[in-house]
C-alpha cells in the first residue's frame, strides 16, 4: 500500500530536549516536505527536498533541521524545542516537482 | 492581507444541495492550483488540480479565474461524506518554489 509514515504520532516533550520526527515513503517519490498546522494559520511549509541531498527552506524553517540521505526518508529534527513549536506536523511526498500528493497521518507535538 | 484567503465557513447545507466556495490569491505569479480536503484530525488529501480550462471529477468541478485571481470548487448533489474542511493551495515557481495553503473552508452536510 502506498503510504507516507510518520513516527511518533503523538509526542510530549520538554523545552530543550532534542527530538526527531521520522518520515518515510514507499513510493519512490523524489519530492518530500514538512508542514506544521496551527489553528487559524493553516499549513505552513517548514522545509522541502527535491531529491537526495537537496533540501530547501520553506516559510517557517527557524528552529528546525532536516536531512535527506536516502530517497525514502526525510526526518525533521528539533535541536532545542520550544513551546511555540507545539503544533501538528505533517510530512508529504509527491512525484512531480513540488506536488504534495500524499500526506502522512500527522505528528501531534507538545513542548512544555 | 493573506496571500491565500478562504471563507472559513462553516457552510451548513442539506444533503443533495449544490455548494460552491472560492479561494482568492494575491500573487499574480502563481502557477499551480489545487484543492485538498481534510477531515477532522486527519491528514490533507489531494482532491483535484485546478487547470486554466477547468477540471471536473464526478460531482466536483474546479475552476480558475486568473484575471480576478481566484479559484473555485463546486460540489453537486452533496453527500454526508463530503463534510470536511476544503483547503486551497497555490504554488508559485521562481528562484525558489513557494507554496501557500489556505486556512480552509469548513463544510458540513446535514441529512
Amino acid at each position: 500500500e502506498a503510504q507516507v509514515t510518520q513516527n511518533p504520532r503523538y509526542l510530549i516533550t520538554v523545552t530543550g530536549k532534542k527530538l526527531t520526527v521520522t518520515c518515510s515513503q514507499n513510493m519512490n517519490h523524489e519530492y518530500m516536505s514538512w508542514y506544521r498546522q496551527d489553528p487559524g494559520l493553516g499549513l505552513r511549509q517548514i522545509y522541502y527536498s527535491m531529491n537526495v541531498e537537496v533540501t530547501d527552506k520553506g516559510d517557517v524553517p527557524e528552529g528546525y533541521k532536516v536531512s535527506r540521505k536516502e530517497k525514502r526518508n526525510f526526518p525533521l529534527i528539533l535541536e532545542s524545542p520550544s513551546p511555540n513549536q507545539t503544533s501538528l506536523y505533517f510530512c508529504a511526498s509527491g512525484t512531480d516537482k513540488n506536488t504534495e500528493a500524499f500526506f502522512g497521518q500527522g505528528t501531534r507535538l507538545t513542548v512544555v | 492581507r493573506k496571500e491565500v484567503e478562504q471563507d472559513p465557513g462553516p457552510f451548513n447545507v442539506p444533503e443533495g444541495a449544490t455548494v460552491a466556495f472560492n479561494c482568492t490569491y494575491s500573487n499574480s505569479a502563481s502557477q499551480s492550483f489545487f484543492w485538498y480536503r481534510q477531515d477532522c484530525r486527519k491528514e490533507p488529501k489531494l482532491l483535484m488540480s485546478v487547470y486554466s480550462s477547468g477540471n471536473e471529477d464526478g460531482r466536483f468541478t474546479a475552476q480558475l479565474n486568473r484575471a480576478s485571481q481566484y479559484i473555485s470548487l463546486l460540489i453537486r448533489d452533496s453527500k454526508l461524506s463530503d463534510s470536511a474542511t476544503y483547503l486551497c493551495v497555490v504554488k508559485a515557481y521562481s528562484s525558489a518554489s513557494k507554496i501557500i495553503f489556505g486556512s480552509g473552508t469548513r463544510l458540513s452536510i446535514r441529512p
Side-chain angles (χ1 to χ4, degrees), chain A residues 36-44 86-88 108, chain B residues 2 103:
Chain A
R36 61 177 290 173
Q37 186 173 31
D38 303 287
L41 296 176
L43 282 110
R44 293 178 293 168
T86 293
S87 187
L88 177 58
R108 189 166 290 280
Chain B
K2 288 184 179 179
S103 297

Side-chain angles (χ1 to χ4, degrees), chain A residues 54-110:
Chain A
V54 180
T55 63
D56 282 293
K57 296 178 181 179
D59 282 331
V60 289
E62 295 77 22
Y64 305 95
K65 285 174 57 177
V66 292
S67 69
R68 188 88 184 274
K69 293 184 171 58
E70 310 164 275
K71 192 181 247 189
R72 63 182 290 124
N73 296 323
F74 190 43
L76 179 69
I77 303 155
L78 284 73
E79 295 270 5
S80 183
S82 61
N84 64 12
Q85 292 179 299
T86 293
S87 187
L88 177 58
Y89 291 87
F90 288 105
C91 178
S93 75
T95 50
D96 300 328
K97 177 184 175 184
N98 296 349
T99 300
E100 279 73 1
F102 293 90
F103 277 82
Q105 292 180 294
T107 296
R108 189 166 290 280
L109 171 66
T110 302

Side-chain angles (χ1 to χ4, degrees), chain B residues 18-80:
Chain B
T18 295
V19 61
F21 25 84
N22 291 341
C23 166
T24 60
Y25 60 95
S26 60
N27 185 355
S28 59
S30 301
Q31 296 173 308
S32 298
F33 309 88
F34 307 86
W35 283 104
Y36 286 73
R37 71 169 279 165
Q38 185 174 24
D39 295 293
C40 189
R41 301 181 185 278
K42 296 287 184 72
E43 72 275 20
K45 291 185 179 176
L46 179 62
L47 183 63
M48 58 198 309
S49 303
V50 188
Y51 306 122
S52 297
S53 56
N55 190 16
E56 186 171 321
D57 183 2
R59 297 182 293 107
F60 296 82
T61 300
Q63 292 193 313
L64 166 64
N65 186 318
R66 284 192 184 272
S68 300
Q69 295 185 196
Y70 74 85
I71 64 174
S72 63
L73 181 67
L74 178 81
I75 306 174
R76 288 182 297 278
D77 187 23
S78 53
K79 314 289 184 192
L80 296 176

